[in-house]
Amino acid sequence: MDLKTDVAQSPVLDRGPADVPSSPRRKLWGGLTIASLALLLAMAFFYAPEDANQGAAQRIFYIHVPSAWIGFLAFFVVFVGSIAFLYTGKRKWDDVAAASAEVGVIFTSAVLITGPLWGRPVWGVYWTWDPRLTSFLMLWLIYLSYLVLRGYVPEPVRRAKYAAVLGIVGFLDVPIVYLSARWWRSEHPTQFVVEGGDLPTKMLVTMLVGVAAFTFLYLYLLAVRVRVGRLRARAEEAEVAR
Amino acid sequence: MSNSTVYLVAAYVGAALLYGLYFVWLRAQERRLDGRNRDAAR
């Protein structure tokens, strides 16, 4: 494995501008995102019934839960991309991991915005140091530090290696977040969709539409972010060559 | 509008702003870098 060859010498300067192409499926993901998000909004407000105990605030879950799941998916992609990079030394894996980490931080930020706005009317507080909430905040901080690390290491090979290690180790927090509600006393609602639970069918269907919509949004944002990363690398190489 | 509805609207608007602004920021970077690379290739 020769990481230096692949990461440090990306010979993009020899190619024309068209050599940083968009993903062929990007338009498809974009179209599906708009259509499914519109459907989700309609279902969340007009199809799903109002929860008798939580009232209107329960509808926050149709964006909160899918954002959390897709955040986990994004960090899983960082985990896989980081392992693949360390194993193969191919730059494309580092590009995907870096892009997925940034998009994942956006999704988990959405969770940290919508969660407290559900907590205030239902629990009476915006935030409590509950195991699920605390481990989730740690997850967000880990991947925020992953992005900060990438910004502070100028040398591409070292940057990619350090980030890959953090991307792998950081993913260990995902199962901790998921299982925290079982391991410790947590006030946070558990994984009611995965475990069957007693969620009414209309709520379950709306939640699944939300998961699909946010999956398309993730794929679209990932495709754009990967291209931005490659364009940035190309611009940096052009600067060095001058 | 009930108290609960205010939080509901705030959550949807907050999430839409976050995802929307991130998308706009990404596309702006993409356009700027496309232009810069085109100039460099000339």
Side-chain angles (χ1 to χ4, degrees):
Chain A
M1 177 172 73
D2 185 5
L3 294 179
K4 200 156 191 168
T5 302
D6 199 284
V7 177
Q9 301 170 3
S10 176
V12 288
L13 279 176
D14 307 338
R15 310 176 202 158
D19 282 330
V20 188
S22 291
S23 162
R25 285 182 288 276
R26 180 167 147 177
K27 280 187 178 170
L28 174 68
W29 301 138
L32 286 170
T33 299
I34 292 168
S36 57
L37 282 178
L39 179 64
L40 173 65
L41 281 178
M43 291 179 76
F45 286 94
F46 303 111
Y47 172 75
E50 185 146 309
D51 186 271
N53 298 319
Q54 299 179 25
Q58 187 272 338
R59 295 180 201 275
I60 292 173
F61 268 53
Y62 302 125
I63 53 171
H64 177 80
V65 176
S67 292
W69 283 4
I70 304 308
F72 292 160
L73 171 70
F75 297 148
F76 178 68
V77 171
V78 178
F79 176 72
V80 172
S82 299
I83 291 173
F85 171 73
L86 289 178
Y87 188 71
T88 65
K90 289 189 186 300
R91 182 184 186 142
K92 67 177 181 180
W93 291 113
D94 180 55
D95 291 345
V96 170
S100 193
E102 188 177 292
V103 176
V105 166
I106 296 297
F107 276 81
T108 45
S109 298
V111 176
L112 291 172
I113 289 171
T114 55
L117 289 166
W118 172 86
R120 183 70 181 85
V122 176
W123 285 346
V125 289
Y126 285 107
W127 183 265
T128 176
W129 294 102
D130 175 275
R132 170 64 65 83
L133 275 63
T134 307
S135 55
F136 194 90
L137 180 64
M138 280 175 57
L139 183 71
W140 183 76
L141 288 170
I142 287 167
Y143 284 91
L144 198 64
S145 62
Y146 175 100
L147 299 179
V148 171
L149 173 72
R150 294 195 73 95
Y152 271 88
V153 183
E155 203 274 304
V157 180
R158 283 173 59 202
R159 177 173 62 209
K161 276 189 193 172
Y162 293 168
V165 171
L166 185 54
I168 293 166
V169 175
F171 187 72
L172 295 176
D173 193 36
V174 170
I176 294 174
V177 174
Y178 187 77
L179 295 168
S180 60
R182 282 193 211 166
W183 287 349
W184 301 289
R185 282 189 181 182
S186 173
E187 291 181 46
H188 192 280
T190 49
Q191 302 79 11
F192 45 88
V193 175
V194 174
E195 295 175 353
D198 54 358
L199 200 66
T201 307
K202 286 186 173 181
M203 288 185 176
L204 179 61
V205 171
T206 307
M207 187 72 76
L208 293 176
V209 169
V211 172
F214 281 83
T215 303
F216 295 137
L217 177 63
Y218 166 73
L219 291 170
Y220 179 77
L221 291 175
L222 185 70
V224 179
R225 179 57 185 78
V226 165
R227 183 162 190 268
V228 166
R230 287 177 181 160
L231 285 168
R232 198 180 291 153
R234 185 189 170 85
E236 283 168 7
E237 285 160 14
E239 285 289 323
V240 171
R242 271 183 199 166
Chain B
M1 197 154 51
S2 75
N3 194 32
S4 189
T5 308
V6 173
Y7 291 102
L8 171 67
V9 172
Y12 275 77
V13 170
L17 277 175
L18 177 70
Y19 288 119
L21 289 174
Y22 178 63
F23 168 72
V24 168
W25 180 67
L26 268 187
R27 291 285 290 140
Q29 282 187 81
E30 190 179 28
R31 273 195 292 271
R32 183 174 54 80
L33 288 164
D34 259 333
R36 200 165 133 191
N37 287 331
R38 258 196 302 274
D39 291 345
R42 275 181 202 148

